Amino acid sequence: MIDIVPSLLSANFMHLCKDIKDCQKAGIKMFHYDVMDGHFVPNISFGYSILADITKECQLDIDVHLMISNPLKYINCFIDAGASILTFHYEAMQNDEEIKQMIDYIHQKGIQAGISINPQTPVDKIIPYLKDIDLVLVMSVEPGFGGQTFNFSALEKIKELSKLKKKYHFIIEVDGGINDQTIKEARAAGADLFVAGSYIFKAKNRKEAIKSLL
Ligand code: DX5
Ligand code: ZN
């Protein structure tokens, strides 16, 4: 399977269907859906009703990245809207109990659960959850906006997680500033999935942009 996950945040919302199909023609199976609430991050993107329209219309897997406060309150809405993977932020959670509850709840609904860490959050913080989690999303930019520059400190975290992966069964996804150069380093460090927004959707030729990431 192709390990590139285009972020719809950088797509043209007036031509969402065409933008998705362009990527599918290049072999893409899964898309990244960035949900921002203007509270956990200083930006607002889109909610679950647009997700429901997308999953009704297109055959695709959606990896939902919840950059919102109190994610537990909204996960049902995203599950009903057709999410395949639900990723929440470690920094958005109140305590250990709430994180465990979140992971259990997502699993009970038959969906994969992911946990994301901001550039300042060390891997140590999420070690207690690695045995239960399906995916770790390493942020290589501050969450909130597309088009930022890759923060190379993410590579150390990916390497650390790569070692831990041998003991557990999660996959490593990296998000932010991925282009044809930074992806090489993230891949060498051990990441499995690569989110790319502006590099793909702002390219003149999306098929070529995707090919250059493979
Ligand atoms: C940032 C989002 C990313 C963003 C990536 O908060 O989580 O998914 O869309 O965009 P690029 O690839 O342009 O950095
Ligand atoms: Zn994202």
Side-chain angles (χ1 to χ4, degrees):
M1 188 188 139
I2 289 189
D3 53 12
I4 311 300
V5 190
S7 166
L8 294 175
L9 186 68
S10 294
N12 180 335
F13 302 142
M14 290 299 283
H15 307 126
L16 203 46
C17 204
K18 182 192 173 292
D19 285 9
I20 289 172
K21 288 195 171 129
D22 276 356
C23 294
Q24 287 179 317
K25 279 186 206 143
I28 297 295
K29 301 273 185 272
M30 185 155 83
F31 290 81
H32 186 81
Y33 190 84
D34 287 304
V35 184
M36 304 176 182
D37 65 353
H39 184 258
F40 178 70
V41 289
N43 194 9
I44 296 175
S45 59
F46 30 61
Y48 45 84
S49 56
I50 295 177
L51 179 65
D53 287 348
I54 294 171
T55 56
K56 247 183 258 152
E57 193 81 23
C58 314
Q59 282 281 354
L60 39 62
D61 281 329
I62 295 266
D63 149 36
V64 174
H65 178 191
L66 295 175
M67 285 166 275
I68 61 175
S69 302
N70 200 2
L72 200 49
K73 192 171 164 192
Y74 296 98
I75 48 176
N76 265 333
C77 303
F78 287 97
I79 291 170
D80 292 345
S84 318
I85 305 176
L86 267 182
T87 299
F88 59 93
H89 265 265
Y90 168 81
E91 302 83 3
M93 307 305 281
Q94 302 295 325
N95 52 45
D96 180 61
E97 211 35 60
E98 201 188 34
I99 297 177
K100 288 183 181 150
Q101 199 187 342
M102 182 81 168
I103 298 169
D104 283 353
Y105 191 77
I106 297 172
H107 282 157
Q108 272 168 31
K109 295 277 176 176
I111 308 287
Q112 293 199 308
I115 191 163
S116 183
I117 45 172
N118 281 344
Q120 279 80 27
T121 306
V123 167
D124 287 6
K125 299 275 186 198
I126 57 164
I127 288 180
Y129 316 108
L130 293 180
K131 63 177 176 27
D132 299 315
I133 213 83
D134 302 291
L135 178 146
V136 175
L137 177 60
V138 177
M139 290 308 297
S140 39
V141 296
E142 286 302 327
F145 298 90
Q148 302 180 74
T149 308
F150 187 84
N151 180 338
F152 284 85
S153 69
L155 296 177
E156 282 314 308
K157 287 196 214 173
I158 296 170
K159 284 182 194 157
E160 213 177 323
L161 285 161
S162 231
K163 285 186 199 141
L164 290 161
K165 209 171 69 168
K166 294 181 185 124
K167 197 168 160 199
Y168 306 105
H169 292 99
F170 59 88
I171 54 175
I172 306 169
E173 186 176 45
V174 56
D175 185 8
I178 290 291
N179 57 37
D180 58 346
Q181 298 307 309
T182 54
I183 198 167
K184 289 182 192 152
E185 309 226 25
R187 202 173 255 132
D192 305 294
L193 288 177
F194 307 88
V195 176
S198 47
Y199 184 75
I200 293 174
F201 287 112
K202 305 295 179 213
K204 280 203 185 90
N205 185 329
R206 288 175 185 151
K207 203 170 175 183
E208 285 305 317
I210 291 168
K211 242 170 81 184
S212 74
L213 295 173
L214 298 173

